[in-house]
């Protein structure tokens, strides 16, 4: 029903309805409150080099990003590599007492194996789809997701809440796996939201432009799909964010992304991505940059999560939640990365 009604809505309708739907979640900070826009700090690296990842994390933090999550897509799905990245993230968060959460976006079974080895897991991630066959192609079942949630809850690492799951979706995933049963992309995308909702996630985001022009041909279609996904997720009670993105072989450019970013900000999107230079050098796609969050926060008067806003002010990174302060080489974050102490 949600998918069906979204097809009858104009872009304006999708924005207005989503704006009226607030979904608040919490782990080490509180996300989804009115007047707030969070950012996932995405410090991916093509070889998972810890020093390169750390440099991107510090860069993002100095731009006031990272309240949604500091989340790394690992270049390899090996348990030791994932554990190394998890311990790096935990070190940064504990050293600077950052009220945020970490995640390494490996397969859920890899994350569980790292957790069993004692790795500091905050959020458990998994991509999900809207058919059983598509989820089977991802190597997951609903019972496996339930097991992962229980394992993360048992660690009790949250301070202000216990939403421990992070899901990603996106129109076209079931079709690309030839597991769509002839059903349209939008209906199956909304079915994926029903899967996510069952596990009370902290974060859900649609990576709606990532698959490419085989599924969404151009910027206009990506804009429409992003607004549809955000609205439908919010109607189903999910804490929706959007990776405002495209691949280089799509008929889209950064101006299209600026348009979608602005429309989602007006629609009350919970969070966006913060990628160095808006160009993910590991996944090879175009997204939104650390700078983009400041454009949106300033234009629309939005602030980070309240606990993170207080930390930014304490660290003299930002004032009023959205105005960056000058930072010189003596700042604690820069001093540590220069000394290679992370």
């Amino acid at each position: 029903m949600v998918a069906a009604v979204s097809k009858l809505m104009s872009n304006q309708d999708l924005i207005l309805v989503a704006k009226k739907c607030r979904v608040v979640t919490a782990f080490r900070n509180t996300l989804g409150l009115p007047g707030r826009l969070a950012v996932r700090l995405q410090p991916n690296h093509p070889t998972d080099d810890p020093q390169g990842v750390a440099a991107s994390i510090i860069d993002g933090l100095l731009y006031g990003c990272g309240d949604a999550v500091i989340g790394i897509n690992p270049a390899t799905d090996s348990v030791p590599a994932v554990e190394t990245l998890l311990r790096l993230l935990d070190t940064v968060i504990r050293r600077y007492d950052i009220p945020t959460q970490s995640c390494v976006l490996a397969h859920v079974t890899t994350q569980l194996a790292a957790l069993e080895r004692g790795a500091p897991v905050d959020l458990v991630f998994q991509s999900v789809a809207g058919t059983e066959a598509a989820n089977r192609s991802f190597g997951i079942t609903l019972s496996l997701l339930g097991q992962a949630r229980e394992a993360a809850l048992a660690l009790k690492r949250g301070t202000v809440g216990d939403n421990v799951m992070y899901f990603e979706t996106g129109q076209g995933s079931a079709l690309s796996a030839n597991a769509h049963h002839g059903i349209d992309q939008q209906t199956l995308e909304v079915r994926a939201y029903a899967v996510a909702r069952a596990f009370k996630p902290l974060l859900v985001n649609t990576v709606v432009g990532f698959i490419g022009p085989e599924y969404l041909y151009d910027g206009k279609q990506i804009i429409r799909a992003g607004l549809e996904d955000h609205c439908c997720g919010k109607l189903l009670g999910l804490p929706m964010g959007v990776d405002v993105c495209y691949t280089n072989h799509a008929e889209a450019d950064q101006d299209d992304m600026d348009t979608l970013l602005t429309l989602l900000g007006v629609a009350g999107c919970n969070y966006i991505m913060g990628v160095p230079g808006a160009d993910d050098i590991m996944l090879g796609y175009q997204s939104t940059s650390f700078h983009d969050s400041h454009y949106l926060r300033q234009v629309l008067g939005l602030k980070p999560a309240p606990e993170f806003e207080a930390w930014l002010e304490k660290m003299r990174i930002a004032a009023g939640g959205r105005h960056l302060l000058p930072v010189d080489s003596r700042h604690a974050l820069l001093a540590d990365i220069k000394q290679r102490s992370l």
Side-chain angles (χ1 to χ4, degrees), residues 241-258:
V242 178
D243 191 340
V244 181
C245 65
Y246 66 102
T247 53
N248 286 317
H249 62 311
E251 293 295 321
D253 58 30
Q254 208 65 38
D255 286 340
D256 295 315
M257 299 305 101
D258 287 349

mmCIF file of all heavy atoms in Angstrom, residues 241-258:
data_model
loop_
_atom_site.group_PDB
_atom_site.id
_atom_site.type_symbol
_atom_site.label_atom_id
_atom_site.label_comp_id
_atom_site.label_asym_id
_atom_site.label_seq_id
_atom_site.Cartn_x
_atom_site.Cartn_y
_atom_site.Cartn_z
ATOM 1 N N GLY A 241 17.836 7.572 6.107
ATOM 2 C CA GLY A 241 18.812 8.457 5.494
ATOM 3 C C GLY A 241 18.920 8.106 4.023
ATOM 4 O O GLY A 241 18.338 7.108 3.570
ATOM 5 N N VAL A 242 19.648 8.904 3.276
ATOM 6 C CA VAL A 242 19.831 8.639 1.848
ATOM 7 C C VAL A 242 21.290 8.893 1.481
ATOM 8 O O VAL A 242 21.840 9.944 1.833
ATOM 9 C CB VAL A 242 18.911 9.522 0.980
ATOM 10 C CG1 VAL A 242 19.165 9.255 -0.509
ATOM 11 C CG2 VAL A 242 17.438 9.284 1.312
ATOM 12 N N ASP A 243 21.885 7.927 0.799
ATOM 13 C CA ASP A 243 23.182 8.168 0.175
ATOM 14 C C ASP A 243 22.884 8.832 -1.165
ATOM 15 O O ASP A 243 22.469 8.175 -2.130
ATOM 16 C CB ASP A 243 23.927 6.846 -0.024
ATOM 17 C CG ASP A 243 25.382 7.051 -0.430
ATOM 18 O OD1 ASP A 243 25.701 8.156 -0.910
ATOM 19 O OD2 ASP A 243 26.174 6.112 -0.280
ATOM 20 N N VAL A 244 23.056 10.132 -1.222
ATOM 21 C CA VAL A 244 22.764 10.919 -2.422
ATOM 22 C C VAL A 244 23.914 10.682 -3.395
ATOM 23 O O VAL A 244 24.980 11.284 -3.264
ATOM 24 C CB VAL A 244 22.619 12.414 -2.062
ATOM 25 C CG1 VAL A 244 22.295 13.232 -3.286
ATOM 26 C CG2 VAL A 244 21.543 12.593 -0.984
ATOM 27 N N CYS A 245 23.713 9.788 -4.371
ATOM 28 C CA CYS A 245 24.865 9.308 -5.118
ATOM 29 C C CYS A 245 24.511 8.895 -6.536
ATOM 30 O O CYS A 245 23.346 8.746 -6.894
ATOM 31 C CB CYS A 245 25.486 8.118 -4.387
ATOM 32 S SG CYS A 245 24.416 6.659 -4.304
ATOM 33 N N TYR A 246 25.569 8.703 -7.329
ATOM 34 C CA TYR A 246 25.431 8.183 -8.677
ATOM 35 C C TYR A 246 26.748 7.542 -9.090
ATOM 36 O O TYR A 246 27.797 7.798 -8.484
ATOM 37 C CB TYR A 246 25.046 9.294 -9.671
ATOM 38 C CG TYR A 246 26.107 10.362 -9.881
ATOM 39 C CD1 TYR A 246 26.919 10.352 -11.013
ATOM 40 C CD2 TYR A 246 26.300 11.383 -8.951
ATOM 41 C CE1 TYR A 246 27.891 11.329 -11.213
ATOM 42 C CE2 TYR A 246 27.263 12.358 -9.150
ATOM 43 C CZ TYR A 246 28.055 12.325 -10.279
ATOM 44 O OH TYR A 246 29.017 13.285 -10.472
ATOM 45 N N THR A 247 26.677 6.695 -10.101
ATOM 46 C CA THR A 247 27.891 6.109 -10.660
ATOM 47 C C THR A 247 28.282 6.877 -11.916
ATOM 48 O O THR A 247 27.446 7.505 -12.565
ATOM 49 C CB THR A 247 27.669 4.623 -10.999
ATOM 50 O OG1 THR A 247 26.508 4.509 -11.828
ATOM 51 C CG2 THR A 247 27.469 3.804 -9.743
ATOM 52 N N ASN A 248 29.533 6.796 -12.268
ATOM 53 C CA ASN A 248 30.044 7.646 -13.345
ATOM 54 C C ASN A 248 29.499 7.283 -14.722
ATOM 55 O O ASN A 248 29.622 8.073 -15.662
ATOM 56 C CB ASN A 248 31.574 7.599 -13.369
ATOM 57 C CG ASN A 248 32.175 8.387 -12.213
ATOM 58 O OD1 ASN A 248 31.737 9.475 -11.908
ATOM 59 N ND2 ASN A 248 33.172 7.808 -11.558
ATOM 60 N N HIS A 249 28.899 6.097 -14.884
ATOM 61 C CA HIS A 249 28.339 5.740 -16.185
ATOM 62 C C HIS A 249 26.837 6.065 -16.274
ATOM 63 O O HIS A 249 26.200 5.725 -17.273
ATOM 64 C CB HIS A 249 28.602 4.275 -16.517
ATOM 65 C CG HIS A 249 27.987 3.268 -15.583
ATOM 66 N ND1 HIS A 249 28.107 3.338 -14.214
ATOM 67 C CD2 HIS A 249 27.251 2.169 -15.837
ATOM 68 C CE1 HIS A 249 27.478 2.313 -13.663
ATOM 69 N NE2 HIS A 249 26.945 1.593 -14.626
ATOM 70 N N ALA A 250 26.278 6.713 -15.266
ATOM 71 C CA ALA A 250 24.884 7.160 -15.312
ATOM 72 C C ALA A 250 24.804 8.550 -15.938
ATOM 73 O O ALA A 250 25.764 9.326 -15.912
ATOM 74 C CB ALA A 250 24.287 7.182 -13.913
ATOM 75 N N GLU A 251 23.645 8.866 -16.499
ATOM 76 C CA GLU A 251 23.415 10.197 -17.059
ATOM 77 C C GLU A 251 23.020 11.151 -15.926
ATOM 78 O O GLU A 251 21.875 11.573 -15.804
ATOM 79 C CB GLU A 251 22.312 10.135 -18.128
ATOM 80 C CG GLU A 251 22.699 9.364 -19.367
ATOM 81 C CD GLU A 251 23.829 10.040 -20.120
ATOM 82 O OE1 GLU A 251 23.832 11.293 -20.203
ATOM 83 O OE2 GLU A 251 24.715 9.330 -20.633
ATOM 84 N N ALA A 252 23.991 11.424 -15.057
ATOM 85 C CA ALA A 252 23.760 12.273 -13.891
ATOM 86 C C ALA A 252 25.061 12.988 -13.570
ATOM 87 O O ALA A 252 26.142 12.574 -13.995
ATOM 88 C CB ALA A 252 23.291 11.441 -12.702
ATOM 89 N N ASP A 253 24.965 14.074 -12.806
ATOM 90 C CA ASP A 253 26.162 14.785 -12.377
ATOM 91 C C ASP A 253 25.930 15.380 -10.992
ATOM 92 O O ASP A 253 24.876 15.182 -10.379
ATOM 93 C CB ASP A 253 26.562 15.866 -13.389
ATOM 94 C CG ASP A 253 25.463 16.893 -13.634
ATOM 95 O OD1 ASP A 253 24.655 17.165 -12.714
ATOM 96 O OD2 ASP A 253 25.415 17.451 -14.749
ATOM 97 N N GLN A 254 26.931 16.114 -10.506
ATOM 98 C CA GLN A 254 26.859 16.614 -9.139
ATOM 99 C C GLN A 254 25.758 17.664 -8.967
ATOM 100 O O GLN A 254 25.239 17.832 -7.864
ATOM 101 C CB GLN A 254 28.212 17.183 -8.710
ATOM 102 C CG GLN A 254 28.456 17.110 -7.204
ATOM 103 C CD GLN A 254 28.539 15.685 -6.685
ATOM 104 O OE1 GLN A 254 29.081 14.807 -7.335
ATOM 105 N NE2 GLN A 254 27.990 15.438 -5.504
ATOM 106 N N ASP A 255 25.371 18.356 -10.030
ATOM 107 C CA ASP A 255 24.252 19.290 -9.917
ATOM 108 C C ASP A 255 22.960 18.546 -9.577
ATOM 109 O O ASP A 255 22.139 19.032 -8.779
ATOM 110 C CB ASP A 255 24.062 20.067 -11.227
ATOM 111 C CG ASP A 255 25.128 21.131 -11.432
ATOM 112 O OD1 ASP A 255 25.760 21.532 -10.433
ATOM 113 O OD2 ASP A 255 25.328 21.557 -12.583
ATOM 114 N N ASP A 256 22.767 17.366 -10.160
ATOM 115 C CA ASP A 256 21.599 16.549 -9.813
ATOM 116 C C ASP A 256 21.641 16.167 -8.333
ATOM 117 O O ASP A 256 20.613 16.171 -7.638
ATOM 118 C CB ASP A 256 21.564 15.275 -10.659
ATOM 119 C CG ASP A 256 21.378 15.556 -12.132
ATOM 120 O OD1 ASP A 256 20.510 16.383 -12.470
ATOM 121 O OD2 ASP A 256 22.089 14.954 -12.949
ATOM 122 N N MET A 257 22.839 15.853 -7.847
ATOM 123 C CA MET A 257 22.964 15.463 -6.446
ATOM 124 C C MET A 257 22.698 16.658 -5.521
ATOM 125 O O MET A 257 22.097 16.514 -4.461
ATOM 126 C CB MET A 257 24.351 14.876 -6.175
ATOM 127 C CG MET A 257 24.659 13.622 -6.978
ATOM 128 S SD MET A 257 23.445 12.284 -6.788
ATOM 129 C CE MET A 257 22.479 12.470 -8.306
ATOM 130 N N ASP A 258 23.141 17.842 -5.925
ATOM 131 C CA ASP A 258 22.839 19.040 -5.133
ATOM 132 C C ASP A 258 21.336 19.249 -5.023
ATOM 133 O O ASP A 258 20.814 19.630 -3.965
ATOM 134 C CB ASP A 258 23.476 20.272 -5.771
ATOM 135 C CG ASP A 258 24.981 20.323 -5.597
ATOM 136 O OD1 ASP A 258 25.516 19.516 -4.807
ATOM 137 O OD2 ASP A 258 25.630 21.165 -6.255
#
